[in-house]
Amino acid sequence: MTTKDTIDLGEFQFESGESIPSLEVAYETYGEFDGTNAVLVCHALTGSAHVARRPDAGDETAGQARAWWGDVVGPGKAIDTTEYYVVCANVPGSCYGTTGPASTNPETGEPYGTEFPPVTVGDWTRAQRELLDALGVGRLHAVVGGSVGGMNVLDWLRRYPDDVDRAAAVAAAARLDAQCLALDTVARRAITADPNWNEGHYYDGPKPEEGLARARQIGHIMYLSKASMARKFGRRSAGRETVRERPPDPAAAFFPYREVESYLDYQADKFTDRFDANSYLYLTRAMDDFDLAAGYESDADALAAFEGELLAVSFTGDWHFTVEQSEALADACRTAGVDVAHHVVESDHGHDAFLVEPEKVGPPLSDLLEAGLEGRSITDTDDEPDDEDEFAPVHSSLFSD
């Protein structure tokens, strides 16, 4: 069974203290709820509720053309919708059906624009909790998310520790580092410097497509690794038959239009067709703002009340959310006495690995849902024996095959 729907949660107060009279949340569900088998999936920055393929609509959904984790979630997949009741909701501030800056303010009849309240990851979590309440779901068998969706998972563990049995934070961290904060800042400046941005009120005129395109290109560079970019593009020319999407400056015509340029231009054009510039501003700020330890003495203190199991999955080629950051998260769990495993995947795909390598992401997630951290395919960096203990069990590898 699959469901694609929108629910009105009524008046919603954001963590900023500001409220809107009506928060509509777009969501999709897959499978049947038996009272104990609910799995919440939290999407990444520009994702949607369309996490798995729906037979009633093929692989299409308004705004986003494909199921973003269709090779991980579905019948017979790692998150098996014949076994689990999977829920995925578009987050507040986005533009895929949930109320955000592009939505109409019922009090004015005009789009909110930048009059929409500031949004935090905590607002996403509280909206998801309200949605689950409306669906009759109390305790979750698991909550799973990738990238900033993994931050959303961590917020669940500190905010509703009694509501989750198992959790997986994939390619995520307790907070962004300074380099990523800097790149997100430049991306937002690209949008706000576009003359069509018009202080966020552009819905009745030209949209800031150039600024949003540059912002998305910065994002794509963050999501790839040096190795994956070298393999995919190198320094190759895109070829004489390739037409530049935008006229170059006069001197540029002397030089080759490279494959990496063509790729970035193509991805930017696709993105501006489907995403809202203000939503990009709001969601990146929410990600940048997230700090697991905010309001607590430490990350360990923030997670101390969680009595379930947490799987942290990281990728060796990911410099957006690094292996070291996931290890720091695992260390915080160990300090707090939280059952944790840090599963490191050897990959040169960069941050995008959690989306493009389902054969590596799927097995540990499947085992977590079925057997917890004792699952056969789950490894842990803490399994490496101490030098003094020659009889300690030796793990075959820190990395998945």
Side-chain angles (χ1 to χ4, degrees):
M1 294 180 61
T2 63
T3 300
K4 178 178 183 293
D5 207 348
T6 302
I7 188 171
D8 189 343
L9 298 179
E11 183 177 3
F12 188 86
Q13 184 177 51
F14 294 85
E15 288 192 329
S16 66
E18 298 181 45
S19 300
I20 58 174
S22 172
L23 176 64
E24 292 189 349
V25 175
Y27 69 95
E28 295 191 16
T29 67
Y30 311 81
E32 296 188 58
F33 184 46
D34 67 9
T36 62
N37 67 337
V39 176
L40 176 68
V41 178
C42 304
H43 67 72
L45 189 70
T46 60
S48 70
H50 188 45
V51 62
R53 301 179 181 100
R54 293 189 295 110
D56 61 327
D59 197 23
E60 300 294 321
T61 188
Q64 186 160 330
R66 66 181 182 86
W68 60 267
W69 231 5
D71 292 324
V72 172
V73 181
K77 304 292 176 60
I79 302 178
D80 191 343
T81 53
T82 66
E83 297 289 335
Y84 303 105
Y85 177 65
V86 177
V87 181
C88 186
N90 189 219
V91 299
S94 187
C95 55
Y96 287 139
T98 295
T99 308
S103 304
T104 299
N105 182 346
E107 295 181 343
T108 66
E110 301 291 335
Y112 279 103
T114 48
E115 293 175 1
F116 195 74
V119 173
T120 67
V121 173
D123 293 323
W124 302 350
T125 307
R126 293 189 302 111
Q128 291 160 345
R129 179 65 272 174
E130 290 190 28
L131 167 65
L132 292 171
D133 289 342
L135 295 176
V137 176
R139 187 173 177 87
L140 289 165
H141 177 66
V143 56
V144 179
S147 191
V148 70
M151 290 176 156
N152 196 170
V153 168
L154 298 179
D155 191 62
W156 264 91
L157 303 190
R158 70 175 179 180
R159 191 176 297 269
Y160 303 113
D162 297 331
D163 292 358
V164 180
D165 285 331
R166 297 167 184 172
V170 183
R175 63 195 58 81
L176 284 188
D177 63 20
Q179 184 179 39
C180 290
L181 291 174
L183 290 167
D184 282 347
T185 297
V186 176
R188 288 192 295 269
R189 298 281 171 81
I191 293 173
T192 57
D194 188 317
N196 290 334
W197 182 63
N198 193 32
E199 302 298 323
H201 300 287
Y202 51 78
Y203 295 103
D204 59 353
K207 296 181 180 180
E209 292 184 352
E210 286 296 318
L212 180 58
R214 299 294 82 73
R216 184 57 171 178
Q217 288 176 333
I218 292 169
H220 270 290
I221 295 168
M222 293 170 72
Y223 305 151
L224 299 173
S225 68
K226 277 185 175 290
S228 63
M229 292 185 78
R231 183 177 61 252
K232 291 178 69 172
F233 313 115
R235 292 176 51 82
R236 295 185 296 273
S237 169
R240 294 184 181 276
E241 71 281 359
T242 305
V243 178
R244 297 182 191 235
E245 296 294 332
R246 293 165 182 81
D249 60 275
F254 175 79
F255 300 98
Y257 182 49
R258 301 189 188 279
E259 285 187 2
V260 67
E261 295 179 79
S262 179
Y263 167 82
L264 290 173
D265 286 342
Y266 173 73
Q267 294 295 338
D269 287 342
K270 283 204 312 180
F271 188 67
T272 57
D273 287 340
R274 71 175 176 88
F275 211 76
D276 178 60
N278 280 334
S279 283
Y280 202 81
L281 297 176
Y282 274 72
L283 300 184
T284 57
R285 288 193 183 106
M287 177 172 62
D288 290 2
D289 176 74
F290 182 78
D291 186 337
L292 179 61
Y296 296 86
E297 293 184 0
S298 63
D299 292 342
D301 186 39
L303 295 170
F306 177 56
E307 297 182 352
E309 296 179 310
L310 172 63
L311 172 65
V313 180
S314 64
F315 302 84
T316 55
D318 185 358
W319 59 271
H320 187 9
F321 289 102
T322 65
V323 171
E324 291 77 14
Q325 287 173 305
S326 285
E327 183 64 15
L329 173 64
D331 282 342
C333 289
R334 294 163 188 146
T335 298
V338 174
D339 289 335
V340 65
H342 177 198
H343 180 90
V344 182
V345 177
E346 188 170 15
S347 169
D348 67 359
H349 278 282
H351 186 58
D352 270 350
F354 85 97
L355 294 173
V356 303
E357 296 190 285
E359 73 281 2
K360 294 182 178 180
V361 176
L365 293 182
S366 176
D367 281 358
L368 174 73
L369 297 185
E370 181 180 354
L373 297 180
E374 297 302 315
R376 291 178 56 191
S377 66
I378 295 175
T379 66
D380 183 14
T381 54
D382 202 40
D383 284 348
E384 196 171 38
D386 294 332
D387 292 338
E388 297 82 3
D389 187 2
E390 61 179 321
F391 300 107
V394 178
H395 202 287
S396 60
S397 175
L398 292 182
F399 306 122
S400 67
D401 293 331

